[in-house]
Amino acid sequence: MELIKGQRTKISHEHQHFRLLVEINGETRAAGANLEGAALLLNKSGSCLPEDGFIYRGSRTNQDYSVLSYKPQPDKCHFIVDFGRLPDEIDRIVLALIPADEGASSPMERSANASVALIDADSGTLLVRFPFQAACGRESAVIAGELYRYHSEWKFNPVGAGYPGGVKALCKSYGIENALEDAETAAATETVGFSEGSENK
């Protein structure tokens, strides 16, 4: 099933402990300009969980491993959402695309051919797919879509639109002003630690 903007759809399984694979594809027209996926875990008041609610680069999962991120290809990002582990306080998951090279000398505006695919992680069955285009500048962010709880069901809202003010404004609006810097620091530390360990072997 292929969705269009605003076409909300139910994605809940017949049982509540299913696992969902979210595949975000972000292909830009600028050579070497890769996009990173990010997930913001929000509570019922719309605020990001303070400890581990921002999953991006250095923070690949949260404490209870209910949301796990990995990047199989430069233009793809995968999230595994385990609804059986997901805390009750999480009411919404915002899925975003963020330029991976904010400091690079790349064009300020880049058109992204993107898509979000929701797949049953256990059976491999494609549930829905949402293709979209969005302008993604060096300092911008794109909201791909949202998973949200409606009573006892989980639904998906396809958004596919740039966020006014970009990445920092996106984080600030959910109460995590330093989240991006913290994630970048964690990613850099992880890389350095891996390199040092490799040299010692």
Side-chain angles (χ1 to χ4, degrees):
M1 178 180 178
E2 196 160 283
L3 303 177
I4 60 173
K5 280 187 181 183
Q7 186 182 358
R8 301 178 185 230
T9 184
K10 173 184 171 182
I11 53 95
S12 287
H13 207 277
E14 54 266 19
H15 59 83
Q16 294 300 312
H17 293 171
F18 75 107
R19 298 187 310 141
L20 184 72
L21 167 61
V22 180
E23 180 180 275
I24 304 179
N25 295 283
E27 179 185 353
T28 64
R29 292 178 183 171
N34 295 325
L35 296 174
E36 288 277 356
L40 296 93
L41 313 184
L42 311 182
N43 58 24
K44 289 178 173 59
S45 66
S47 299
C48 195
L49 301 188
E51 295 299 325
D52 56 359
F54 183 68
I55 298 178
Y56 167 74
R57 296 193 71 179
S59 303
R60 287 297 188 183
T61 187
N62 52 349
Q63 293 179 359
D64 52 29
Y65 298 98
S66 59
V67 181
L68 172 68
S69 170
Y70 61 98
K71 196 167 185 178
Q73 296 177 19
D75 60 349
K76 281 188 179 181
C77 183
H78 285 179
F79 291 96
I80 298 288
V81 181
D82 188 335
F83 289 93
R85 290 176 176 263
L86 202 65
D88 291 338
E89 63 182 319
I90 296 178
D91 210 48
R92 184 158 52 113
I93 301 175
V94 175
L95 303 166
L97 280 169
I98 296 174
D101 56 343
E102 287 188 66
S105 57
S106 55
M108 194 63 182
E109 291 296 329
R110 297 168 293 199
S111 178
N113 293 318
S115 67
V116 181
L118 304 184
I119 302 164
D120 186 313
D122 297 313
S123 69
T125 302
L126 175 64
L127 304 177
V128 296
R129 183 175 178 272
F130 169 52
F132 64 94
Q133 286 190 340
C136 189
R138 198 186 315 162
E139 295 294 336
S140 72
V142 174
I143 302 296
E146 299 178 339
L147 298 168
Y148 67 98
R149 195 195 303 265
Y150 182 74
H151 298 310
S152 60
E153 298 180 341
W154 279 90
K155 295 189 173 186
F156 176 66
N157 176 27
V159 179
Y163 192 88
V167 177
K168 292 183 179 179
L170 172 68
C171 292
K172 186 176 180 179
S173 67
Y174 294 118
I176 47 170
E177 295 185 47
N178 298 319
L180 188 63
E181 290 82 356
D182 292 344
E184 294 288 359
T185 301
T189 302
E190 187 178 84
T191 302
V192 170
F194 177 80
S195 299
E196 291 176 349
S198 300
E199 291 174 0
N200 292 331
K201 287 185 178 181

